[in-house]
Amino acid sequence: AAATFEAALLAALDSVDERNDGRLNMAELVAAGFDRALLAGLATGRDGSLDKRQLVERLSSIAREEDDEGGQLSGSEYAPELLRSLLTTVARILHRRKAEAIASERRAAEAEKNAMLALHGEATQGQFRTAMDAAFASIDADGSGTLQLGELRDAGFDHAVISQLDSGGDGQLSRA
């Protein structure tokens, strides 16, 4: 049970860590729904951030400090509130991640359907545009809105095709 709790907590915190650096700042945690007052007592680095793994370990240790007599959590006067808030927030974050994954999967399936229709010459103009937008977005690894030579090569385009597509000769393709 403890491993499941820690895995769920780490998964939720991974999605909160916008910089993907293993550290969470209060702004990231509060934006995700964590209560600032309840997090205030946790140790932070000089920059006010929390190490993700240390946070998981600390919160897990609070969860394990259950008193057999009254079922209350010890270690901190805020422990019961913190855990209730934490579990609610983790559930909300994981639910949001699941909903985003489902929506992303639906968009991918729709784009695949539109690409197949376009391939067979049966797509409407809107379906064709949707398929091309999805293809562009999947190739645009850096999210810049332009396709660089490296991104095109990584997607499997050979030099001849890239040369034909690059009408400006600048080694970049835009959506236009």
Side-chain angles (χ1 to χ4, degrees):
T4 303
F5 171 77
E6 289 178 7
L9 180 56
L10 191 56
L13 293 175
D14 281 344
S15 68
V16 172
D17 185 7
E18 294 174 1
R19 298 167 303 197
N20 292 320
D21 63 356
R23 299 199 61 78
L24 300 164
N25 61 41
M26 284 296 178
E28 289 172 320
L29 292 167
V30 170
F34 288 95
D35 185 320
R36 182 184 300 270
L38 294 175
L39 294 171
L42 298 172
T44 61
R46 289 186 178 152
D47 62 354
S49 66
L50 298 161
D51 179 87
K52 198 173 3 182
R53 293 229 179 256
Q54 289 176 344
L55 179 59
V56 169
E57 289 171 14
R58 175 66 182 126
L59 295 171
S60 293
S61 73
I62 291 171
R64 287 189 300 268
E65 293 175 4
E66 189 166 344
D67 179 3
D68 290 334
E69 294 175 23
Q72 294 296 313
L73 298 174
S74 59
S76 166
E77 63 185 280
Y78 296 112
E81 257 183 88
L82 176 61
L83 286 174
R84 191 173 14 267
S85 173
L86 172 71
L87 293 173
T88 301
T89 303
V90 167
R92 188 173 40 249
I93 290 169
L94 294 175
H95 178 75
R96 185 176 61 235
R97 281 184 59 190
K98 181 180 176 184
E100 288 169 355
I102 289 169
S104 177
E105 187 65 32
R106 285 184 181 144
R107 285 190 302 274
E110 182 68 19
E112 182 180 8
K113 178 188 94 174
N114 290 338
M116 293 305 292
L117 289 171
L119 181 65
H120 296 289
E122 299 171 11
T124 65
Q125 186 174 3
Q127 289 170 324
F128 181 78
R129 181 66 178 185
T130 300
M132 293 302 101
D133 285 344
F136 189 98
S138 70
I139 296 169
D140 187 15
D142 64 3
S144 66
T146 60
L147 302 180
Q148 310 296 324
L149 288 176
E151 291 171 323
L152 291 166
R153 276 192 228 110
D154 290 347
F157 289 93
D158 65 23
H159 183 69
V161 172
I162 294 171
S163 296
Q164 288 178 345
L165 294 172
D166 184 15
S167 60
D170 60 358
Q172 298 182 30
L173 300 177
S174 65
R175 287 185 186 262

